[in-house]
Every structure is written in structure tokens, then in C-alpha cells.
Amino acid sequence: MKWQGRLLGGLAIAMAFALPSHAADKIKIGLITKFPVPFYSTMEEAAKKYAAAHPEVELVTGQGQSATDIEGQIALIESMITQGVKGLAITPVDPTVAPALDKAVAAGIKVVLVDNGIPNWKGSTALVSTNNLNGGKIAGEYLKTVLKSGDKIGILQGVPGVPALDDRVTGMMQGLGDLKVEVVGKGATNCTLELGTSVAEDILTANPDLKAIYAACGPPIPGAAKAIANAGIANDKFILVGFDACCGEIEAIKSGAEDASVAQFPAKMGELGIDTAVKAVRGEPVEANVDTGAGLVTAANVKDFE
């Protein structure tokens, strides 16, 4: 019987070495965010907190310079491949980064898109994001309650061609429903304060009877608020609505310069983006679409978003 005991003990030891141990194996995950604004800083901080709470995860981060920094993001993707990440969570700045992501997939990397998808790209493991069309509808439904038929509005676009930002405009128009408003001007802001200011100024100059401006992303809002103030329009005579609830929007809502914004939850995106990538690397099942939700911020509930 002794030899049987030795044999069984040996088998047990061999099996222990053969079985994978997730706790012992470091999983290197990359996170690439678009550009330096509070929204993406919050996302990155949440990802770092997730990694700190999961010692088996090694997190490598990178960030582009602007909302149009395509070459910068491609370089970051290539760097992640070189560094040997097993999973990559990325907020794609433009659909043209897809060929670089194809290289990542070819290298065996699980790619999780965060914040927005890439149309017709089949290489992603999952999409972790706000449903931007629904978020736009929330904005439109709010505007429907404060505007009347025939009112003129202007639209500050984000980066035309980026699906998430385009969906926010499409959704807003859908949210207006049967309210017939006149869109008298629109322009791309590339999600920057500077272009938010100049595009808003141009629309206001051409349309002195403008009643509202809707911005598809947060950074242009302070610029639009400045343009409205410079035009001598009182806060209570104009409607300003944004999307992201970031980059000075909370302060603008508190001061009355902005009426409402659709809030996303970047911390949730950061946490779930990394968690989804880790699960995919481990071979665990993941949802193809993870909706991180959205909500309307107004003066009535702004304290909940501080």
C-alpha cells in the first residue's frame, strides 16, 4: 500500500504543477485613452484602482494628445504590442486605427473597445460604453420640455465621423420627437474649448434669435457659455445643453450658465473595460456589449455628480 500512497502523492504534486493558477500568473493589460481631459483621467484612475485591487493584473497605460491624434494612438497600439500585453482596452480616436488593432489581434491580444466602437470592425472582443444614441435621446427629451415649435437651435458637433459622437446628435434629434425646431447652424469642435467658442460665436452672430445650443461633448461647453455671455444673452434667456458632464460642465450647471448635460460614467467604463479584458484573456465568457449607462444632470441633481 505504501507504493500506492507514493504514486498518488506524486500524481497530486504533478497535477498541482499542471493546473493553471490565475493568482500566480501576471496578466499584462494595456489601457489607451484618447486625450487629457478629466473624463479620461477618471477612466484611467478607475482602471488603476482595479489593477491595485487585483495583484494578478499588471496595467500599462497610454494617452493621446488630442481628439484627432490618430498617429499618436497608432504609435501607442504598436507600443502595447511590443510590450507584450495580453489584453488591450482602448477608446478608439478614429476608425482609421483599425489596421493597427488588426496587428494586435494577430499577435493574440484580446481587444476591448471602450467609450465607442469602430463601425464594421470585427476584431473586438467586446464594447464597453454608454449607449450614445440613447444618451442623445435623453438630451433631446429634455430640450423638448424647454423649447417650443419654431425655436432655432445650433449644434456643436464633436468629431464628425466618430460614431459615438455622431450618435449623440442623431439621438438628440430623435429625442425631440414631434417638436419642430429649426437647426440653423452646426459645426465640428473636435471636442475642444477653443472651437466650441468660435463655432458658437459664428452661429450666434448669424442667428441673433437663437434659442438653444446643444454640444455633443463636454469640452466645448465652457467656450459656448463664454460666447453666449459675450453676446449679452442672460442665462435665463437661453438654453445650453451638453454631453459628458465634464470639463467645467458641473460648475456651469451650478452657476446657471448651462441648463443640463448627459452624464456618462467614465469610472465604470475604466473598471469594466479592464475587467472584461482580463476575463477575455482568461478565456472566460464576456458580453459583446456592456452598457455603462447615462443620466441627465440639471441644477436639481447636480450635487449628486460633484
Side-chain angles (χ1 to χ4, degrees):
M1 297 296 293
K2 289 183 178 180
W3 67 269
Q4 289 180 327
R6 293 193 192 101
L7 179 60
L8 290 171
L11 284 171
I13 293 169
M15 289 177 68
F17 280 109
L19 289 172
S21 172
H22 295 313
D25 298 335
K26 278 280 187 179
I27 302 173
K28 185 181 283 190
I29 302 293
L31 171 68
I32 298 175
T33 51
K34 290 179 183 175
F35 56 102
V37 293
F39 183 88
Y40 293 113
S41 298
T42 299
M43 187 183 297
E44 184 174 305
E45 285 304 310
K48 289 178 177 177
K49 286 181 181 178
Y50 176 94
H54 297 79
E56 73 278 14
V57 175
E58 178 184 351
L59 183 65
V60 183
T61 64
Q63 189 172 78
Q65 298 301 310
S66 71
T68 56
D69 186 15
I70 297 170
E71 292 303 318
Q73 186 162 93
I74 290 172
L76 286 168
I77 294 168
E78 292 173 345
S79 174
M80 292 291 180
I81 297 171
T82 301
Q83 292 180 69
V85 301
K86 300 300 182 184
L88 175 60
I90 179 171
T91 61
V93 72
D94 188 88
T96 55
V97 304
L101 290 175
D102 284 333
K103 294 178 183 178
V105 173
I109 298 170
K110 301 295 185 182
V111 176
V112 175
L113 304 182
V114 181
D115 189 31
N116 59 272
I118 298 176
N120 303 316
W121 187 62
K122 306 299 183 183
S124 67
T125 296
L127 171 63
V128 177
S129 72
T130 302
N131 185 317
N132 287 284
L133 188 69
N134 286 345
K137 288 179 182 178
I138 291 172
E141 288 165 359
Y142 172 79
L143 284 165
K144 186 176 180 179
T145 69
V146 293
L147 295 175
K148 64 182 186 299
S149 181
D151 280 346
K152 296 179 179 180
I153 70 170
I155 297 174
L156 305 185
Q157 300 164 300
V159 182
V162 174
L165 299 175
D166 291 344
D167 281 350
R168 297 175 186 181
V169 175
T170 301
M172 183 276 292
M173 295 302 296
Q174 291 178 3
L176 288 170
D178 57 1
L179 182 67
K180 302 300 182 184
V181 300
E182 185 180 356
V183 178
V184 293
K186 63 172 64 174
T189 65
N190 292 340
C191 291
T192 65
L193 182 150
E194 294 78 12
L195 284 176
T197 305
S198 60
V199 174
E201 286 175 345
D202 290 345
I203 297 174
L204 284 163
T205 300
N207 304 277
D209 54 348
L210 194 73
K211 295 297 183 182
I213 286 177
Y214 169 66
C217 43
I221 283 288
K226 180 181 178 182
I228 293 163
N230 289 345
I233 303 172
N235 290 340
D236 62 354
K237 300 298 182 183
F238 199 87
I239 304 297
L240 180 61
V241 175
F243 201 115
D244 284 334
C246 81
C247 316
E249 285 191 272
I250 297 301
E251 293 76 13
I253 291 171
K254 289 171 67 177
S255 72
E258 183 180 8
D259 295 273
S261 181
V262 178
Q264 300 188 87
F265 303 104
K268 197 172 180 181
M269 289 184 192
E271 177 185 348
L272 291 178
I274 300 304
D275 184 63
T276 301
V278 169
K279 287 178 178 176
V281 170
R282 288 176 171 167
E284 299 174 14
V286 297
E287 294 182 25
N289 291 281
V290 181
D291 184 0
T292 52
L296 188 71
V297 187
T298 66
N301 67 350
V302 67
K303 290 183 178 180
D304 296 336
F305 292 86
E306 291 184 282

